[in-house]
Amino acid sequence: MKIYVKYMVSRRCIMMVKSNLDEIGVKYSSVQLGVIETLEKISIEQQEQLRTILLKSGLELMDDKKVIQIEQIKTIIIELIHHAREELKVNFSDYLSEKLNNNYTYLANLFSEAEGVTIEHFIIIHKIEKVKELILYDELNLTEISYKLHYSSLAHLSYQFKKVTGLTPTFYKNLKNKRRNNIENL
């Protein structure tokens, strides 16, 4: 049986949900971002216990098929951008269509209608958050970051970064360095 969970976006959420499932005695085969696969159908009582426990942690069980589909879109995008080990070399529209076994135009319209932003805008926002994270880690230079996140060029990354944050990536990086210097001088 598959159970869909809203707002489950990190590995920490997965660990917490596994612990919650163990606590109420639900046997599962896998727990991934947004999806629990149980070994057997769970009782209504267990479902309500799970719903209550998850709500305390800011997570929700999902029942509506459209809501489930929107959360699946978000989960796939977050997984690809924030948790993928390799460079992003995918066409998101093809990947989403294939992964969700649905027409991309339908998925895009459903997402936009429910979220108030396009899938593309959602992707850009998450890519810029990942860029900010990588800049803060200071392990890659901006060219390597642009390659890792599959930007066509550093200029394209810089354009999107400035459009979203109001700052250039270099200025953002220098702000981080100034903050570090200020702390060291205390």
Side-chain angles (χ1 to χ4, degrees):
M1 174 180 183
K2 282 190 178 183
I3 301 170
Y4 295 93
V5 182
K6 191 172 185 175
Y7 307 123
M8 192 172 163
V9 296
S10 70
R11 296 192 199 301
R12 193 171 286 175
C13 290
I14 291 172
M15 291 180 352
M16 182 189 61
V17 168
K18 284 180 178 180
S19 173
N20 294 152
L21 291 169
D22 292 339
E23 184 180 318
I24 62 172
V26 173
K27 303 212 181 314
Y28 54 89
S29 58
S30 77
V31 178
Q32 299 173 352
L33 294 178
V35 182
I36 300 167
E37 286 193 49
T38 61
L39 294 172
E40 53 197 37
K41 189 171 168 110
I42 67 171
S43 69
I44 292 176
E45 182 183 315
Q46 286 176 314
Q47 202 169 12
E48 286 310 309
Q49 285 178 314
L50 184 59
R51 184 180 310 279
T52 303
I53 290 171
L54 293 176
L55 276 173
K56 289 177 184 175
S57 303
L59 304 176
E60 294 177 24
L61 290 183
M62 295 185 290
D63 302 321
D64 183 334
K65 289 183 189 241
K66 287 183 178 182
V67 171
I68 290 169
Q69 191 110 68
I70 290 164
E71 285 303 309
Q72 287 175 322
I73 292 168
K74 289 178 179 180
T75 300
I76 289 168
I77 292 168
I78 289 167
E79 181 69 33
L80 275 173
I81 293 172
H82 294 283
H83 304 295
R85 298 273 184 240
E86 300 169 12
E87 286 79 26
L88 299 176
K89 293 185 179 176
V90 296
N91 179 318
F92 280 102
S93 58
D94 293 341
Y95 188 77
L96 286 169
S97 293
E98 182 182 316
K99 201 80 163 142
L100 297 175
N101 200 22
N102 223 321
N103 178 297
Y104 181 75
T105 303
Y106 167 77
L107 295 173
N109 289 337
L110 177 69
F111 190 88
S112 296
E113 183 180 304
E115 296 298 311
V117 297
T118 64
I119 290 175
E120 290 79 10
H121 188 70
F122 186 79
I123 290 168
I124 289 168
I125 290 168
H126 279 275
K127 283 176 82 172
I128 296 305
E129 284 305 309
K130 185 67 176 180
V131 169
K132 288 163 54 175
E133 177 185 321
L134 292 170
I135 287 171
L136 290 175
Y137 287 158
D138 206 21
E139 294 173 358
L140 303 172
N141 64 39
L142 292 174
T143 303
E144 292 167 329
I145 291 171
S146 71
Y147 177 76
K148 181 177 179 69
L149 293 176
H150 203 247
Y151 279 96
S152 58
S153 67
L154 178 55
H156 184 218
L157 178 147
S158 296
Y159 172 77
Q160 277 192 349
F161 193 93
K162 182 159 185 162
K163 189 174 180 185
V164 171
T165 66
L167 307 170
T168 66
T170 305
F171 189 81
Y172 183 81
K173 189 173 188 166
N174 290 337
L175 278 177
K176 176 196 71 117
N177 291 335
K178 284 182 182 176
R179 274 185 268 143
R180 182 178 293 150
N181 289 339
N182 290 339
I183 292 170
E184 290 171 357
N185 293 331
L186 291 177

